[in-house]
Amino acid sequence: MAQARYRKRMSRSDPRLYVPASETAFVEGQTVPLPPGQAHYLGNVMRQGVGSLVRVFNERDGEWSAEIAALKKDRGSILLQHRERDPMPTQGVELLFAPLKRDATELVIRMGTELGVTRFRPVVTERTNTHRLNLERLAVIATEAAEQCERLDVPEILPPESLRVVLAEWPEDRPLFAALERRPGEDANVRAAALLIGPEGGFSETEVEMLRRHGAVHALSLGPLVLRAETAVCAGLARLAAGAGGTP
């Protein structure tokens, strides 16, 4: 019922912005300053002005209808009207992935955010072809994807770590499903906590053996065809969502 009211009141054409939670919780009638980037976006990209309606959200305060109260260059503020949706954490998995070339990595962040990834953890494997990531840019991409897909939180993106180090610290009670090429998957009746996607060229035999020995790791088959890494992300997330009874 609340979701129906939300859809009726708020137009999909209204700009939807992520405004990080501050020390003060959102309340009706409160004036909230906009981050500089959001103010610039509203005024210069969306051509909005004072009095225009917007939607704002974050993981603590949920989603609110608001009105632009002030807007000038990279500064602005909004007047909160009504809370349209209560806070609701995204129900998904953590994604461990080997960094790819820039465009492919950005695609993984965007698609993963839309498919409910709760946290991105880049892992460096023996065949990883790049070790450098622009975490600030990737955070912007994740934020834009969250704004577009109407989730109420933005996934965290961690700095890259060695796969060996991550596995050494990974708890055995957190099921980690690893996509292994040309290997059968397990019929494990467990709910995944995380998904691991390897680099272009797949995991090395040493890494495959390391994964097999770890008590938390379950093999996940993505079919007989060899997939690009970014395609494997989508296929793996869809498989895990279907197995958990959800929708990707």
Side-chain angles (χ1 to χ4, degrees):
M1 189 67 178
Q3 182 72 2
R5 289 197 300 269
Y6 160 77
R7 289 174 177 167
K8 183 177 180 180
R9 180 177 296 168
M10 302 303 296
S11 168
R12 290 183 64 86
S13 63
D14 294 334
R16 183 175 190 268
L17 304 176
Y18 175 73
V19 176
S22 63
E23 295 181 0
T24 305
F26 286 1
V27 294
E28 290 188 15
Q30 177 186 4
T31 300
V32 177
L34 288 169
Q38 301 290 37
H40 173 82
Y41 171 77
L42 284 175
N44 295 279
V45 179
M46 297 299 293
R47 303 296 183 184
Q48 303 294 307
V50 173
S52 297
L53 297 179
V54 297
R55 296 182 284 164
V56 295
F57 71 97
N58 63 52
E59 59 280 351
R60 185 195 66 193
D61 300 300
E63 182 157 352
W64 288 70
S65 59
E67 178 181 306
I68 298 176
L71 197 62
K72 185 177 182 180
K73 293 185 178 180
D74 62 348
R75 295 184 180 181
S77 62
I78 55 173
L79 179 66
L80 297 175
Q81 296 179 337
H82 305 283
R83 181 153 71 180
E84 306 294 342
R85 287 198 288 168
D86 293 335
M88 180 182 298
T90 299
Q91 301 298 313
V93 298
E94 183 174 349
L95 176 64
L96 286 66
F97 71 100
L100 306 165
K101 295 177 182 178
R102 189 188 71 176
D103 289 350
T105 295
E106 292 179 359
L107 185 60
V108 165
I109 299 298
R110 185 174 300 280
M111 294 189 300
T113 300
E114 294 177 1
L115 290 170
V117 169
T118 57
R119 180 164 60 180
F120 293 94
R121 186 189 292 263
V123 292
V124 179
T125 69
E126 292 183 19
R127 295 173 180 166
T128 297
N129 59 22
T130 181
H131 295 196
R132 295 188 300 175
L133 293 177
N134 186 337
L135 296 179
E136 184 176 346
R137 175 171 171 78
L138 295 180
V140 170
I141 290 172
T143 299
E144 291 176 347
E147 291 170 344
Q148 183 274 328
C149 73
E150 299 194 349
R151 63 185 285 176
L152 293 176
D153 52 9
V154 176
E156 180 183 13
I157 304 174
L158 300 180
E161 287 186 275
S162 162
L163 175 62
R164 186 177 298 275
V165 171
V166 171
L167 288 179
E169 299 174 352
W170 193 268
E172 292 199 0
D173 61 352
R174 292 197 70 222
L176 170 62
F177 280 73
L180 303 177
E181 291 181 353
R182 298 190 178 93
R183 289 177 171 84
E186 300 177 19
D187 185 20
N189 186 25
V190 295
R191 187 179 183 89
L195 170 66
L196 170 63
I197 300 293
E200 296 175 0
F203 297 107
S204 70
E205 289 301 321
T206 300
E207 290 168 337
V208 170
E209 185 59 29
M210 181 172 57
L211 289 167
R212 285 177 171 173
R213 292 198 306 265
H214 198 291
V217 175
H218 302 267
L220 178 69
S221 173
L222 299 181
L225 302 180
V226 177
L227 306 178
R228 293 177 64 92
E230 57 269 38
T231 305
V233 167
C234 288
L237 291 172
R239 285 287 307 275
L240 293 184
T247 55

